[in-house]
Amino acid sequence: MPKAYLSPRNLRFLLHEVFHVGDLCQYPYYADHNGETFDMVLDAAKQLADKLLLPLFREMDRQPPEYIDGRITVHPQVRTLMRAYGEGGWIPASFAYAEGGQQLPVTIANLVGFILGAANYSASIFPFLSTGAANLIRTFGAQDLKQTYIPPMMAGEWQGTMALTEPQAGSSLSDVQTSAKPTDGEYYLIKGQKIFISAGDHDGVDNVVHLMLARIKGAPVGVKGISLFVVPKKRPENGQLIGNDVFTAGMYHKMGYKGAPIAHLIMGDQADCRGWLVGEANKGLSYMFQMMNEARLGVGMGAASIASAAYYCALEYATERPQGRPLAAKNPMTPQVAIAQHPDVKRMLLFQKSVVEGSLALLTQCGIYTDHEKMSEGPAKHDYFLLLDLLTPIAKTYPSEMAIQTTSAAIQVLGGYGYTEDFDAEQFFRDTRIHPIHEGTTGIQGLDLLGRKVLMEDGKAFRLFINEVNQTIAQAIAVPSLEAQADKLAVHLDQLAAITDYLATLAKTVPAEVFLADATLYLEYFGIVAIAWQWLKQGLVAQQALHAEIGEDDRHFYQGKLHTLRYFMEYELPKTLGLHARLLSLDRVTVETQASYLG
Amino acid sequence: MPKAYLSPRNLRFLLHEVFHVGDLCQYPYYADHNGETFDMVLDAAKQLADKLLLPLFREMDRQPPEYIDGRITVHPQVRTLMRAYGEGGWIPASFAYAEGGQQLPVTIANLVGFILGAANYSASIFPFLSTGAANLIRTFGAQDLKQTYIPPMMAGEWQGTMALTEPQAGSSLSDVQTSAKPTDGEYYLIKGQKIFISAGDHDGVDNVVHLMLARIKGAPVGVKGISLFVVPKKRPENGQLIGNDVFTAGMYHKMGYKGAPIAHLIMGDQADCRGWLVGEANKGLSYMFQMMNEARLGVGMGAASIASAAYYCALEYATERPQGRPLAAKNPMTPQVAIAQHPDVKRMLLFQKSVVEGSLALLTQCGIYTDHEKMSEGPAKHDYFLLLDLLTPIAKTYPSEMAIQTTSAAIQVLGGYGYTEDFDAEQFFRDTRIHPIHEGTTGIQGLDLLGRKVLMEDGKAFRLFINEVNQTIAQAIAVPSLEAQADKLAVHLDQLAAITDYLATLAKTVPAEVFLADATLYLEYFGIVAIAWQWLKQGLVAQQALHAEIGEDDRHFYQGKLHTLRYFMEYELPKTLGLHARLLSLDRVTVETQASYLG
């Protein structure tokens, strides 16, 4: 039996009882599927994860990739994995049949990512990146690009990447300098450097296909002059793969997430690096945002998945480890009890459970919005787009930031053992620390949420969100045992709305720097309210389910949901009080502090 | 020039401007010293740290101790270090001249620990443990034990340890089972196992001296039957060291703090492990608490020191790394600015500074109380004892818990680079994670504070603390520019007092398990208020200093203090609001949740 790293029961609960994902099959595109086939897909993913990913969890950490003479070698099993992803059809799972896909809802594809990530996050990112890269070419690329690059990526033979970051630019994409020089041929000559490219080079595949941002000579400065290119490591010519002047200059040695090779690339040192334009010139950044938004949800899912594995690691230890006695029974002659009996340990476990299952619910919610947005038309489509766009920075950041704390809590539950390499808790803590950094730091997500998303279309996305939450509140208020929780969420939602109005007004009167100084805190606030919403939603279903004739296991499962809802409302939701006080304050200390004061 | 890992200016500020440590020299015991000699001691510690500890910071992590055939080998430089500690007189620095010490105030000795820990925490724990062990023998041991064991420990030739934890007991010391069988000689025969023994074995010294808890055959059950023994690895007999049947059964491979060897010991496998009783039988735990309380403050100091080093790592990066532009000046043609200019980065830096310098101030405060307690008599002595006893769990826990967050913030400031081994931020994050675990977990500290310290002597310690804080508030309220901050602290102090009264009353009517269920949250709350007090205290001094004719550097230094005070009051103090709401709630969710709900 592989150890537990997620709850299949919880996946079924979310899919069928909370989100009724089978309803998506009313769309003709998904008509071949139903709730049962979705379960089968997730079961198959779990089997793959158990069989191939889980056994490599520690190994890929202890034997990380190596960079030797301009090449990165990864764990030898990565090649086996890539073929398994290819043969199982996992990489294009959500693509259309005509494109080699399975027309699975994005909701399901995302949950596959959760399962793989919980078993072995490093191993899960290879296919994920290929899916995103293939999807970009599929959506915006010319026919010949599609034919050349998508099939081998779908087969797991070639690796896809997204290549944005540059040494001098970091998060500041307007400073991208990689250049693309038009030629007489159909290609451009690429010259520049990219850093922090995930799976940017490795020997588990025969080729690497970079979806790369670069600036065509003479293009406008800033983000409006950025174009998107396909830049393969090796280019196909006359049925052969020949070097494309993409040099792997180095590999980052990381604290965690070690199984995944992160590369530093230099293009065009020999003036022979060819890139093929995707879509129109100077529209690269908007294209890239398709992959970036997918990747941001993927990062949130990755954080939730690691947090899930850490939670089950801590739970197993806590239920098996005897230590101490109930505080009221200090007689040292009585047997010790499992530490899961101590309220402070239960608090740490409930904390983890609330973050893991709350995050997973919000990410599933985002998957549902994505599928509806893909399938619907007209105003409804736009509404779904707005909800998804608004919630993306939250669904990326809440799990990412909180997983640091929950994996830390997992270590704490294990005590001294948690700090040792004999248990997995420490690896989860190291692995998950990347998430608030990659695909846009938490600071960037805050600016995106407050500086753009809540203000866009005169606040329409925000109003749609409020409506969604109010629907859940209205349902819960009608259930006597949930009324108090519903009231509590209503109060906090009102406060979030008031703070948002206040900040939107402030935006008109103060410099952007002042208005956005605490955007990260606003994001944190919003995240807590959004997760509270998802807990109330789950509590509604659980409360109803307890009225039916159910078995002991189900009763404990639903009680667990109701207790975790209570935990969240009691311990997590009040964290907004401090954020609220700060966001209303007029003291601009961070703006006014000079760097020279900090020494 | 070695890189910055602490602020010497801030040390001088705390010593001379805030705490007037020179005043301690009014006590005859310290009469040979003065403020200047204290500075010289700290300068010498800094030189030692720069020369010997700092260069080994990464090396001791990358080449951790090895366990081979029952022996632990550490970095070869550890032997050099131990001799340097010995030759410099660092180990018994606070001991009396007659005992080979320098009669330095504990305040100063603790700050030496801060300096060494900031340069290289792993390297700093070897002498620290020897000091504590020697101090136990010095205080409670018989003359021959002192003569045999203290001199080689002071010389850095032998290592001292504290050996409490056992496999079946963990934090539950009442379950200690290591046995001590009386013999016809002056020694006992020891049999049992100890785990997680810091510096429990290594080849940087010629012998290891364990201060070990064990149970004399026939002793009462529980903590009242625990005695303290000196159990050397090798025992001196006829001028030679011979094996004492203490077997090193293993070594823990840890996530961080790797330079320090943590051992698993088995005593008496050959029925020839001899232990010498320290003090009276069955009083071992109360003796051990002397070392444990020192160690708890040492852990807090260790966390503050790592947080300090991480802060200067982040600050250096932030002031040198150009990226992005002020939000109001998005023209991509203008040069990028250092990221220390961005408010969100300044927020992360101020956060770190507020925790580092706030923690160090509280720990210095505890040092001052310790010295007064040591030197004074009668009721005053007892008052200092109570203040120190009350604040010990806070001074241990606040830095320990917060350093996880501040070292994480340091990584975040460095972005992707922070996650790589090219910078030190990731090591600080790994190293500091031990602190909420060793020397009593955060959960244990919470029980100690709420279940014992605030209730003891009918709340006298707590009232003394309130008086101390109120004195600072009274001074600050008289300063117009600090009045608002003083008012804010006064409100939060009142709330802390009210919550404490509420909980003390609750303790009489509900089971201990309910009363103490949120002891960890109460501890967190108390910690924030205590640090806010230390910031107001620092702000008072800084505000006054700005009125004098001072140079540019000093002006920036004091402005930095005032801005960090503002930061703390704006961003950290409001975190108590959520804790307050929770502590007043009657929902006993953690008590009522069954472990079976958590699956």
Side-chain angles (χ1 to χ4, degrees):
Chain A
M1 272 284 288
K3 63 187 176 177
Y5 49 89
L6 56 78
S7 163
R9 177 70 185 86
N10 185 50
L11 286 176
R12 291 198 303 279
F13 173 74
L14 289 177
L15 281 186
H16 305 303
E17 300 173 64
V18 180
F19 291 105
H20 308 285
V21 73
D23 292 356
L24 288 174
C25 304
Q26 292 168 3
Y27 290 117
Y29 186 81
Y30 298 137
D32 289 350
H33 299 289
N34 58 53
E36 272 178 47
T37 59
F38 294 151
D39 285 342
M40 286 165 60
V41 170
L42 297 189
D43 285 348
K46 179 79 166 45
Q47 284 170 29
L48 174 71
D50 287 345
K51 193 178 141 208
L52 284 182
L53 278 77
L54 193 62
L56 294 173
F57 171 72
R58 282 195 197 196
E59 267 191 41
M60 286 176 68
D61 179 74
R62 309 301 199 267
Q63 303 161 38
E66 289 186 80
Y67 173 76
I68 303 164
D69 296 336
R71 291 176 49 109
I72 293 175
T73 56
V74 287
H75 193 287
Q77 282 291 91
V78 170
R79 184 166 283 269
T80 311
L81 273 176
M82 293 304 290
R83 289 310 167 96
Y85 291 136
E87 283 163 17
W90 296 106
I91 296 169
S94 62
F95 294 4
Y97 298 134
E99 296 169 319
Q102 302 182 40
Q103 293 193 187
L104 275 171
V106 171
T107 307
I108 301 299
N110 288 355
L111 289 175
V112 169
F114 174 77
I115 292 168
L116 302 180
N120 184 339
Y121 179 66
S122 288
S124 78
I125 63 110
F126 297 92
F128 179 80
L129 288 163
S130 288
T131 302
N135 202 22
L136 260 190
I137 298 177
R138 192 186 67 76
T139 312
F140 303 109
Q143 196 56 34
D144 58 333
L145 285 181
K146 294 187 197 180
Q147 282 168 353
T148 305
Y149 291 99
I150 295 183
M153 280 202 270
M154 295 198 307
E157 291 162 7
W158 294 6
Q159 175 68 56
T161 84
M162 55 196 292
L164 290 77
T165 306
E166 298 182 5
Q168 80 295 341
S171 298
S172 180
L173 291 175
S174 64
D175 292 293
V176 158
Q177 287 177 1
T178 294
S179 65
K181 193 171 123 187
T183 65
D184 295 341
E186 290 179 338
Y187 58 85
Y188 290 69
L189 279 176
I190 306 292
K191 188 163 175 57
Q193 290 191 39
K194 295 288 177 182
I195 57 173
F196 293 121
I197 306 308
S198 299
D201 186 21
H202 67 93
D203 65 347
V205 287
D206 301 325
N207 197 8
V208 184
V209 182
H210 305 291
L211 276 288
M212 189 178 288
L213 296 183
R215 199 177 286 286
I216 297 174
K217 298 275 178 190
V221 296
V223 294
K224 289 176 182 158
I226 295 176
S227 302
L228 179 64
F229 294 87
V230 167
V231 181
K233 178 181 181 181
K234 298 176 187 166
R235 60 188 188 238
E237 273 186 25
N238 307 322
Q240 288 199 310
L241 287 176
I242 70 163
N244 189 39
D245 193 12
V246 176
F247 175 63
T248 305
M251 189 191 75
Y252 299 92
H253 293 89
K254 310 184 299 301
M255 174 172 70
Y257 176 40
K258 290 192 179 188
I262 312 295
H264 174 188
L265 305 175
I266 296 180
M267 285 74 60
D269 222 28
Q270 312 294 324
D272 186 33
C273 177
R274 299 184 185 179
W276 285 264
L277 184 66
V278 178
E280 292 177 42
N282 300 335
K283 294 202 170 167
L285 198 63
S286 67
Y287 299 156
M288 187 58 101
F289 259 98
Q290 173 186 293
M291 183 166 182
M292 197 122 76
N293 282 328
E294 290 169 17
R296 286 176 175 180
L297 294 179
V299 165
M301 196 61 101
S305 72
I306 295 172
S308 172
Y311 171 55
Y312 287 99
C313 169
L315 181 62
E316 184 179 298
Y317 184 87
T319 48
E320 290 176 0
R321 165 75 172 169
Q323 197 184 302
R325 292 164 191 82
L327 287 168
K330 267 294 181 200
N331 179 355
M333 298 299 283
T334 59
Q336 301 195 81
V337 300
I339 61 170
Q341 303 293 328
H342 300 314
D344 196 54
V345 174
K346 283 191 276 187
R347 183 184 56 78
M348 292 191 278
L349 293 169
L350 283 162
F351 170 51
Q352 295 174 64
K353 185 174 165 75
S354 79
V355 169
V356 170
E357 297 178 8
S359 296
L360 189 58
L362 184 67
L363 286 155
T364 307
Q365 180 80 68
C366 287
I368 296 284
Y369 289 150
T370 309
D371 283 311
H372 282 304
E373 194 268 332
K374 266 179 84 169
M375 293 302 138
S376 54
E377 294 294 336
K381 185 185 186 76
H382 189 62
D383 285 357
Y384 286 122
F385 165 79
L386 287 175
L387 280 165
L388 180 64
D389 214 32
L390 178 77
L391 288 176
T392 294
I394 295 153
K396 192 264 176 185
T397 304
Y398 182 88
S400 296
E401 289 288 342
M402 295 309 291
I404 300 175
Q405 296 185 34
T406 65
T407 55
S408 183
I411 289 177
Q412 194 69 15
V413 168
L414 272 74
Y417 291 112
Y419 196 61
T420 70
E421 295 174 3
D422 298 339
F423 290 83
D424 293 334
E426 64 88 24
Q427 188 181 334
F428 297 128
F429 184 66
R430 288 186 289 109
D431 283 354
T432 207
R433 184 60 191 82
I434 187 60
H435 290 311
I437 298 171
H438 62 177
E439 311 311 343
T441 63
T442 295
I444 298 280
Q445 304 299 324
L447 296 177
D448 180 47
L449 178 67
L450 183 57
R452 194 152 18 132
K453 300 294 175 66
V454 300
L455 300 178
M456 67 186 173
E457 301 190 17
D458 202 23
K460 186 172 179 196
F462 186 73
R463 284 194 303 280
L464 288 168
F465 169 77
I466 297 285
N467 285 343
E468 291 277 288
V469 181
N470 273 330
Q471 281 179 32
T472 305
I473 291 171
Q475 286 177 279
I477 272 182
V479 179
S481 65
L482 293 177
E483 193 185 344
Q485 312 286 23
D487 280 341
K488 213 177 268 184
L489 179 57
V491 168
H492 284 80
L493 187 68
D494 283 351
Q495 283 184 343
L496 177 64
I499 275 281
T500 305
D501 277 350
Y502 166 76
L503 291 170
T505 308
L506 194 69
K508 294 169 191 157
T509 59
V510 300
E513 194 169 68
V514 171
F515 156 54
L516 293 169
D518 285 329
T520 300
L521 276 73
Y522 177 79
L523 172 65
E524 185 181 349
Y525 193 155
F526 205 135
I528 295 170
V529 173
I531 299 296
W533 164 42
Q534 290 299 320
W535 271 111
L536 191 61
K537 209 166 182 170
Q538 294 179 75
L540 261 168
V541 175
Q543 185 62 53
Q544 207 154 24
L546 280 167
H547 290 147
E549 285 277 330
I550 52 174
E552 181 82 350
D553 285 355
D554 270 345
R555 198 175 61 74
H556 287 187
F557 176 80
Y558 294 122
Q559 284 291 1
K561 286 291 180 188
L562 289 171
H563 278 249
T564 313
L565 163 64
R566 274 168 64 189
Y567 167 83
F568 197 89
M569 296 297 188
E570 287 290 320
Y571 289 80
E572 300 303 312
L573 193 58
K575 290 179 180 171
T576 58
L577 297 176
L579 297 166
H580 187 258
R582 169 56 208 160
L583 286 166
L584 284 179
S585 171
L586 297 175
D587 187 329
R588 313 296 183 206
V589 57
T590 60
V591 175
E592 292 167 13
T593 297
Q594 297 176 24
S596 57
Y597 294 173
L598 296 170
Chain B
M1 273 286 285
K3 64 189 175 176
Y5 49 89
L6 56 77
S7 162
R9 177 71 184 87
N10 185 51
L11 286 177
R12 291 199 304 277
F13 174 73
L14 289 177
L15 281 187
H16 306 302
E17 300 173 66
V18 180
F19 290 106
H20 308 284
V21 74
D23 293 354
L24 288 174
C25 303
Q26 292 168 2
Y27 291 116
Y29 187 81
Y30 299 137
D32 287 351
H33 300 289
N34 58 51
E36 271 178 49
T37 59
F38 294 151
D39 285 342
M40 285 166 60
V41 170
L42 297 188
D43 285 348
K46 180 77 166 45
Q47 283 170 30
L48 175 71
D50 286 346
K51 192 177 143 213
L52 283 183
L53 278 77
L54 194 63
L56 294 173
F57 171 72
R58 281 195 199 198
E59 267 191 41
M60 286 176 68
D61 179 74
R62 309 300 200 266
Q63 302 162 37
E66 288 186 79
Y67 173 76
I68 302 165
D69 297 336
R71 292 178 49 108
I72 294 176
T73 56
V74 288
H75 193 287
Q77 283 292 92
V78 170
R79 183 166 284 270
T80 312
L81 273 177
M82 292 304 291
R83 290 308 169 97
Y85 291 135
E87 282 162 17
W90 296 105
I91 295 169
S94 62
F95 294 4
Y97 297 134
E99 297 169 318
Q102 302 182 40
Q103 293 193 187
L104 276 171
V106 172
T107 308
I108 301 299
N110 288 356
L111 289 175
V112 169
F114 174 77
I115 292 168
L116 302 180
N120 183 340
Y121 178 65
S122 289
S124 77
I125 63 110
F126 298 92
F128 179 79
L129 288 163
S130 289
T131 302
N135 203 21
L136 259 191
I137 299 177
R138 190 186 69 75
T139 312
F140 303 109
Q143 196 56 32
D144 58 332
L145 285 181
K146 294 186 197 180
Q147 282 169 353
T148 307
Y149 291 100
I150 294 182
M153 280 202 272
M154 293 197 309
E157 291 162 8
W158 294 6
Q159 174 68 56
T161 83
M162 56 196 292
L164 290 78
T165 305
E166 299 182 7
Q168 79 295 340
S171 298
S172 179
L173 291 176
S174 63
D175 292 292
V176 159
Q177 286 176 1
T178 294
S179 64
K181 196 172 120 185
T183 65
D184 295 341
E186 290 180 340
Y187 57 85
Y188 290 68
L189 280 175
I190 307 291
K191 188 164 175 56
Q193 289 191 40
K194 295 287 176 181
I195 57 174
F196 294 121
I197 306 308
S198 299
D201 186 24
H202 66 94
D203 64 347
V205 286
D206 301 326
N207 197 8
V208 183
V209 182
H210 305 291
L211 275 287
M212 189 178 289
L213 296 183
R215 197 178 288 285
I216 298 174
K217 298 277 178 190
V221 296
V223 294
K224 289 175 182 159
I226 296 176
S227 302
L228 179 64
F229 294 86
V230 167
V231 182
K233 180 182 179 179
K234 297 176 188 167
R235 58 188 190 238
E237 274 186 23
N238 307 321
Q240 288 201 307
L241 287 176
I242 69 163
N244 190 39
D245 193 13
V246 176
F247 176 64
T248 305
M251 189 191 76
Y252 298 92
H253 293 89
K254 310 182 300 301
M255 176 173 69
Y257 176 40
K258 289 192 180 189
I262 312 295
H264 174 188
L265 304 176
I266 296 180
M267 286 73 62
D269 222 27
Q270 313 293 324
D272 186 36
C273 177
R274 299 184 186 179
W276 284 264
L277 184 66
V278 178
E280 293 176 42
N282 300 334
K283 293 202 170 167
L285 198 62
S286 66
Y287 298 156
M288 187 57 102
F289 258 97
Q290 174 187 291
M291 183 165 182
M292 197 122 77
N293 282 328
E294 290 169 17
R296 284 175 177 179
L297 294 179
V299 165
M301 197 60 101
S305 70
I306 295 172
S308 172
Y311 171 55
Y312 288 99
C313 169
L315 180 61
E316 181 180 302
Y317 184 87
T319 48
E320 290 175 0
R321 165 74 172 169
Q323 197 184 300
R325 293 163 190 83
L327 286 167
K330 268 295 181 200
N331 179 356
M333 299 299 284
T334 59
Q336 301 194 83
V337 299
I339 62 171
Q341 304 292 327
H342 301 313
D344 196 54
V345 174
K346 282 192 275 187
R347 182 184 57 78
M348 292 191 278
L349 293 170
L350 283 162
F351 171 50
Q352 295 173 65
K353 184 175 166 76
S354 77
V355 169
V356 170
E357 297 178 7
S359 297
L360 189 58
L362 184 66
L363 286 155
T364 306
Q365 180 78 69
C366 288
I368 297 284
Y369 290 149
T370 309
D371 283 312
H372 282 303
E373 195 268 332
K374 265 179 84 170
M375 294 302 137
S376 54
E377 293 295 334
K381 184 184 186 75
H382 189 63
D383 285 357
Y384 286 122
F385 165 79
L386 287 175
L387 280 165
L388 180 64
D389 214 33
L390 178 77
L391 289 176
T392 295
I394 295 154
K396 192 262 175 185
T397 305
Y398 181 88
S400 296
E401 289 288 340
M402 296 309 290
I404 301 175
Q405 295 184 36
T406 65
T407 56
S408 183
I411 289 178
Q412 195 69 16
V413 169
L414 272 74
Y417 290 111
Y419 195 61
T420 70
E421 295 174 4
D422 298 339
F423 290 83
D424 293 334
E426 65 88 24
Q427 188 179 335
F428 297 128
F429 183 66
R430 288 186 290 109
D431 284 354
T432 206
R433 184 60 190 81
I434 187 60
H435 290 311
I437 297 171
H438 62 177
E439 310 313 341
T441 62
T442 294
I444 297 279
Q445 304 300 325
L447 296 178
D448 180 47
L449 178 67
L450 183 58
R452 193 150 22 129
K453 301 293 175 67
V454 299
L455 300 179
M456 66 187 175
E457 301 191 16
D458 202 24
K460 185 170 179 198
F462 186 72
R463 284 194 304 279
L464 289 168
F465 169 76
I466 297 285
N467 285 345
E468 291 278 288
V469 180
N470 273 330
Q471 281 179 32
T472 305
I473 290 171
Q475 288 178 277
I477 272 182
V479 180
S481 65
L482 292 176
E483 192 185 345
Q485 312 286 21
D487 281 340
K488 215 178 265 185
L489 179 57
V491 168
H492 283 79
L493 187 69
D494 284 350
Q495 283 184 345
L496 177 64
I499 276 280
T500 305
D501 278 349
Y502 166 76
L503 291 171
T505 309
L506 195 68
K508 295 170 189 155
T509 59
V510 300
E513 192 168 70
V514 170
F515 156 53
L516 293 169
D518 285 328
T520 300
L521 275 72
Y522 177 79
L523 172 65
E524 184 181 349
Y525 192 154
F526 205 136
I528 295 170
V529 173
I531 299 296
W533 164 42
Q534 291 299 319
W535 271 111
L536 190 61
K537 208 164 184 172
Q538 294 179 75
L540 260 168
V541 176
Q543 185 63 53
Q544 208 153 23
L546 280 168
H547 290 148
E549 284 278 330
I550 51 174
E552 181 83 349
D553 284 355
D554 271 343
R555 198 175 60 75
H556 287 189
F557 176 80
Y558 294 121
Q559 284 291 1
K561 286 291 180 188
L562 290 172
H563 278 248
T564 313
L565 163 63
R566 273 167 66 189
Y567 167 84
F568 197 88
M569 296 297 187
E570 286 290 320
Y571 289 80
E572 300 304 312
L573 193 59
K575 290 178 180 172
T576 59
L577 298 175
L579 297 166
H580 188 257
R582 168 57 208 159
L583 287 166
L584 286 178
S585 170
L586 298 175
D587 187 329
R588 313 296 183 204
V589 57
T590 60
V591 175
E592 293 167 12
T593 296
Q594 297 176 24
S596 57
Y597 295 173
L598 295 170

